Amino acid sequence: MSWFHAAKQRLADLFARERADRELAEEIAHHLELETARHVRDGLDPAAARAMAHVRFGNQTMITDAARAERGHRLAEGSVQDLSWAARSLRKSPGFTALSLLTLVLGIGACTVAFSVFNTVLLRPLPFRDADRLVFIREKTAKGELRPPSFPNLVSWREQTKSFAGVAAAQFPYPRTVSAAGDAEPVRLPSLEVTRHFFSTLGVAPVIGREFSDAEHAPGPGRVAIVSYEFWRDRMNARQPLGLIRLGDVPTPVVGVLPPGFKFLQPADIYLPHEGQAGTVRSSHNYLVVAHLQSGATLAGARAEMSALSRSLKTVYGTETEAVDADVRPLLDHMVASYRVLLSVIFAAASLVLLIACTNLVSAQLARGWHREREVVVRAALGASRGRIARQLVIESTLLVALGTALALLVAFGASSAIRVIGGTLVPRLSELSLDARVVFFSVGVALVTALVVGVYPALRLARRDAGLVLRSGRSGASVRSSVWRGLVGFEVALAVMLVIGSALLIRTLRNIVSADTGFDSRGVVTAAITPQESDAAKFDDVVNALRSIPSVEGVAFTSNLPLQWGNWSGPVRRPSDPKDRNWPAMAGFRVVSPEYFTVLRQPLLRGRAFTVADRVGAPGVAIITPGIAEKLWPGQDPVGKTIATNYLFNDWLTVVGVVAEASNWSMPHGTQNEIYVPLAQREKSVGQQLIALLRTEGSPEPVMVAARRRLHEILPHSPAQIGTIDERIAKSAADRRFAMIALTAFGVIAIVLAAVGIYGVMWYIVSTRTHEIGIRMALGATAARVRRDVLTSATTMAATGVVVGMAAGAYSTKYLQSSLYGVSRLDARVYVLGTALTLGVAVLAAYLPAWRSSRVDPMEAIRDT
Amino acid sequence: MDRSGDLLPGTFEMLVLKAVSLGDMHGWGIAERIERLSGGVCGVQQGTVYPVLQRLLRRGWVVADWRVSDNQRRARYYRLTAAGRRQLADEISWWRRTIGGVDRVLGAEPREA
């Protein structure tokens, strides 16, 4: 079993090197003692005996080295030795080590954080069973637009498709008034109406109770609900049996509780069976459709089948359906596709930060190499091979990178909880951000590459030096050429310029979105959303008076939909001359408003009149439209007095009484839409339908929000109000870009700081290698100011090259940002000038301290020194 | 001509193995044994036993442990393993063959050539 002994010995030696050295020393000491004693016995005096013992033993150092060399594996032993050498050498220069570690933490940390975001949002599978076989389906119109499908189309697909094991749908989430028990305080919570087999299609089973039965999906009274785990735990106090909750006024049995954290696209607390209330019009667009690919079916196959199916439905139903094709894509794609570009940009930005960090480390190693040249050369002269020296330097940078990576992971861990808080509301799935094995794996990979980049080049340079030359002259053989420095500094300035330009473009985009013309005046408008119950029907006037009498409120209006809220109704518009089943000339959104709506929002009336109190039930039906509809239906004519209808939104013909300017009612900054406004007083006030009060105030919105909440609670204790402002909604609609802006700005700042540190280091090094030369120049009469100016000029030239390259690279790479920009060209001159000026300014500032130091050189000392 | 300690390569290792095989011993004792038994012919540089002992340890031919020596001091004692014993036997037969060969060459008469 000699191999076993050998292995054991090797391992023991590797891990107990110091112990082995100690033991050998003890053995030798004991040996010398015994030998001395023998010579004393032979009659020598103690001193002579000791000398004799030493002579007979031989050269102790050589023997110790030889014994060490015999022990253990050569490479392993060498590496252990190199490692401790590296650790010692890092300890010896704490300033260099600390700065390098900081640089590494920023570079690798930025990359790790960016990748963990990328991983969480784009790569990690959705928390459903067979998540990769779930697809999201939309209708495609003749114009190529993607629309949420209608219920009848969904039913046709469900009955006829063979590619899917299940096709199900949910409506858009809708807030409802809920109380968990008969006497509990009611709250407004998002609810979701779902079709048959919705949960089983997603592969989710209730943790308590069951999914809706087919009978519960049938029309008729006696609705039941399934609740979220969080609602059951926090509001129902985890009670069992589940019992009843109140939805508005209606006691509703709870039949199931979903698993913790379940959500479909957006979170909801109450799930209701939908099919009893389902729409019957094929051209409506109200459903989020999800389907589970049959085992064996492919995405391409499913697409082909859905296209064929859409065509045959179109043949059967003609203009009743707008769908000529279907769009089938993986559910995850649908959820995060719009974030792919921005997150990739963020990831690329983090990689640039890492590149800058690497550049800094390479130049720091090169500069440090110059100071250490003597040390290396002496080692080489003493017989260390070039390979060995290079290896030691690589091991030193590897050790540095390993430490830096460990710290970076810690920092990333801390940063991810901050990002969860900041970004959780801005980007889907980001609230689930965590560092999983994939992220750690990635960071370790990045670290390995970094170690190679940072370690190998300087090591090769240093090991190549001619030992004799350095020792003889006592000075650096050939210091690193200035073109190398110029390249390194220029490179990092270029990267920094790119990042600064990118973040400046996004900052301007965000400002443009927030200050974009919405078509109405959003400043100071407070919104209060309520869902009145049956018992509240008589209290409408009280509500109006209570809100109007809030101090500093100048006007109160009501509407069916919050401005900038998607999910309202839209449909085709027709003239009396248009047959019912023809292709519709125009599409329009539909909004129910009170007479004060346009005044309160300051949406200008272009023609005709606004609604009045006279437009009520019994009076002729009226509507106000936007110019787009008028141009489509009656080009060149005055639309006031004409009549319009839509198929399913309302049955009567409405007389157009006015035209208002278009406004961004759905989302920002996608511009404006056609819209039909109808008077609130002429619509049936349906129970459970939400109503939104808009309060115009000139002062600060906060006190109005507080007062509105209190007064509404007094009048409608069972219908809690959701208070907000329109400006909040505008800010939210730019959430993805806000997140990218925050990330790019953070990386931009880090990049500038790192570049500044790099330039500072390089200039410092250059100045210290030229002390001699500067001394001579000053002795020959150059003034301090002149010397300082020369150093600054050389720093500026290096940075300027980088600025030019950075601008060109920025102009090229911002094309990936193009689709995210709003109101600013990606080649915006102001951004480029500001970005480059900022970077250049920081670069010159960073060079100032070394320049100042250069001017403080004492000519006598500098010359004498060498 | 001083050729003391100038041994055939590998010979000293064999001598150390043999010395250890005579009874567990510490480094000095091994050097002393070789010197005494060879009549002072082998082993001028006593320290040389230590690299050799490290090599033997690495190959698993000897093992070492710390014991209390005759002079009441902690000392590292080496002991031959079974593999070491086999190795020693191999080396001795190799040595005998080599020596026999060398002897025969040296003892040759002119007419045998």
Side-chain angles (χ1 to χ4, degrees), chain A residues 57 95 147 180 229 324-325 445 459 536 581 590 636 645 647 676 720 771:
Chain A
F57 186 84
R147 293 281 167 80
Y229 186 86
V324 297
D325 198 353
D536 300 329
D581 54 356
F590 175 70
N647 252 13
I676 301 172
T771 313

Side-chain angles (χ1 to χ4, degrees), chain A residues 506-518:
Chain A
L506 280 175
I507 289 172
R508 290 209 50 194
T509 293
L510 214 63
R511 227 181 45 198
N512 288 342
I513 291 175
V514 171
S515 63
D517 186 12
T518 50

Side-chain angles (χ1 to χ4, degrees), chain A residues 435-584:
Chain A
L435 303 185
D436 57 15
R438 184 154 27 177
V439 173
V440 174
F441 203 70
F442 169 84
S443 314
V444 171
V446 165
L448 283 177
V449 174
T450 307
L452 269 179
V453 169
V454 172
V456 171
Y457 174 66
L460 290 182
R461 271 202 83 87
L462 214 51
R464 207 170 55 204
R465 287 286 193 290
D466 177 355
L469 180 63
V470 178
L471 281 183
R472 268 195 312 279
S473 69
R475 284 213 57 84
S476 156
S479 66
V480 178
R481 280 200 314 280
S482 68
S483 64
V484 173
W485 294 122
R486 198 179 298 280
L488 289 174
V489 168
F491 185 60
E492 57 189 357
V493 167
L495 297 177
V497 165
M498 278 173 75
L499 280 174
V500 170
I501 287 174
S503 47
L505 287 175
L506 280 175
I507 289 172
R508 290 209 50 194
T509 293
L510 214 63
R511 227 181 45 198
N512 288 342
I513 291 175
V514 171
S515 63
D517 186 12
T518 50
F520 53 80
D521 182 1
S522 64
R523 270 168 308 141
V525 176
V526 170
T527 61
I530 45 178
T531 310
Q533 312 305 318
E534 214 155 350
S535 53
D536 300 329
K539 297 178 181 165
F540 185 71
D541 289 341
D542 293 348
V543 169
V544 176
N545 291 331
L547 294 179
R548 266 197 195 129
S549 63
I550 295 173
S552 92
V553 167
E554 292 175 0
V556 177
F558 290 87
T559 175
S560 55
N561 293 86
L562 270 174
L564 304 171
Q565 181 183 42
W566 167 256
N568 50 343
W569 313 284
S570 77
V573 192
R574 66 186 166 109
R575 295 161 288 205
S577 56
D578 294 318
K580 224 180 165 181
D581 54 356
R582 236 202 52 168
N583 245 350
W584 308 102

Side-chain angles (χ1 to χ4, degrees), chain A residues 132-148:
Chain A
D132 55 335
R133 300 194 65 75
L134 292 178
V135 297
F136 188 78
I137 309 178
R138 277 174 295 181
E139 294 178 356
K140 204 185 260 181
T141 67
K143 286 182 196 156
E145 293 163 319
L146 301 181
R147 293 281 167 80

Side-chain angles (χ1 to χ4, degrees), chain A residues 335-467:
Chain A
M335 284 177 69
V336 298
S338 59
Y339 295 89
R340 180 154 291 147
V341 172
L342 276 180
L343 291 184
S344 305
V345 166
I346 290 174
F347 187 46
S351 311
L352 294 189
V353 170
L354 181 64
L355 268 181
I356 295 179
C358 284
T359 313
N360 270 5
L361 289 173
V362 167
S363 66
Q365 290 279 27
L366 286 178
R368 189 156 166 266
W370 179 77
H371 290 291
R372 284 169 46 176
E373 206 153 59
R374 289 282 205 99
E375 173 192 349
V376 169
V377 161
V378 168
R379 290 174 63 88
L382 285 179
S385 69
R386 277 176 191 181
R388 181 72 189 266
I389 292 175
R391 194 175 73 184
Q392 279 169 342
L393 293 171
V394 170
I395 283 176
E396 187 185 316
S397 25
T398 308
L399 181 66
L400 201 58
V401 171
L403 284 175
T405 309
L407 284 175
L409 277 174
L410 280 181
V411 169
F413 189 74
S416 62
S417 57
I419 293 171
R420 268 198 300 273
V421 175
I422 301 170
T425 54
L426 301 182
V427 177
R429 307 185 79 200
L430 202 54
S431 53
E432 302 146 33
L433 183 70
S434 64
L435 303 185
D436 57 15
R438 184 154 27 177
V439 173
V440 174
F441 203 70
F442 169 84
S443 314
V444 171
V446 165
L448 283 177
V449 174
T450 307
L452 269 179
V453 169
V454 172
V456 171
Y457 174 66
L460 290 182
R461 271 202 83 87
L462 214 51
R464 207 170 55 204
R465 287 286 193 290
D466 177 355

Side-chain angles (χ1 to χ4, degrees), chain B residues 2 11 17 22-23 35 40-41 47-49 60 69 79 85 87-88 102 106 112:
Chain B
D2 179 16
T11 319
L17 273 176
L22 296 174
E35 206 180 320
V41 173
T48 328
V49 294
S69 70
R79 181 164 53 81
R85 207 167 298 286
Q87 178 66 21
L88 179 58
V102 172
L106 295 182
E112 285 178 50

Side-chain angles (χ1 to χ4, degrees), chain A residues 581-813:
Chain A
D581 54 356
R582 236 202 52 168
N583 245 350
W584 308 102
M587 291 287 298
F590 175 70
R591 223 162 256 270
V592 180
V593 300
S594 71
E596 306 82 2
Y597 182 84
F598 301 110
T599 334
V600 165
L601 283 185
R602 299 186 178 147
Q603 194 171 343
L605 188 69
L606 303 177
R607 275 173 177 283
R609 63 167 176 92
F611 298 133
T612 67
V613 283
D615 299 315
R616 57 170 175 266
V617 184
V622 292
I624 292 176
I625 60 173
T626 50
I629 302 173
E631 276 157 35
K632 274 276 165 53
L633 300 185
W634 308 283
Q637 299 174 43
D638 184 358
V640 174
K642 305 275 203 264
T643 46
I644 54 167
T646 86
N647 252 13
Y648 57 94
L649 292 177
F650 37 86
N651 300 320
D652 318 326
W653 287 97
L654 303 178
T655 306
V656 175
V657 295
V659 179
V660 289
E662 283 178 358
S664 298
N665 281 325
W666 287 358
S667 68
M668 287 292 299
H670 293 307
T672 54
Q673 293 86 195
N674 294 335
E675 201 90 41
I676 301 172
Y677 298 90
V678 298
L680 185 65
Q682 293 188 334
R683 309 311 308 171
E684 221 176 275
K685 280 200 197 65
S686 62
V687 170
Q689 198 73 262
Q690 74 166 351
L691 191 65
I692 292 143
L694 302 169
L695 289 76
R696 157 71 61 190
T697 166
E698 274 314 303
S700 140
E702 280 77 23
V704 175
M705 291 165 78
V706 172
R709 188 188 308 280
R710 205 186 50 239
R711 291 183 187 206
L712 286 172
H713 185 74
E714 280 163 13
I715 302 168
L716 310 168
H718 302 299
S719 306
Q722 197 174 343
I723 314 280
T725 66
I726 297 182
D727 283 335
E728 266 171 28
R729 304 200 65 84
I730 293 176
K732 211 175 159 192
S733 68
D736 53 344
R737 271 152 291 200
R738 180 176 298 272
F739 182 74
M741 190 270 292
I742 294 171
L744 280 198
T745 308
F747 291 156
V749 169
I750 294 175
I752 283 201
V753 168
L754 284 181
V757 168
I759 292 166
Y760 168 83
V762 166
M763 292 318 291
W764 187 272
Y765 163 76
I766 289 178
V767 166
S768 56
T769 54
R770 291 200 188 144
T771 313
H772 184 65
E773 175 201 325
I774 292 170
I776 292 175
R777 285 185 53 199
M778 289 179 83
L780 291 177
T783 62
R786 178 67 199 272
V787 169
R788 207 158 43 220
R789 204 168 53 236
D790 284 353
V791 174
L792 283 180
T793 308
S794 97
T796 313
T797 351
M798 288 187 199
T801 327
V803 163
V804 172
V805 175
M807 276 172 74
Y812 174 79
S813 59

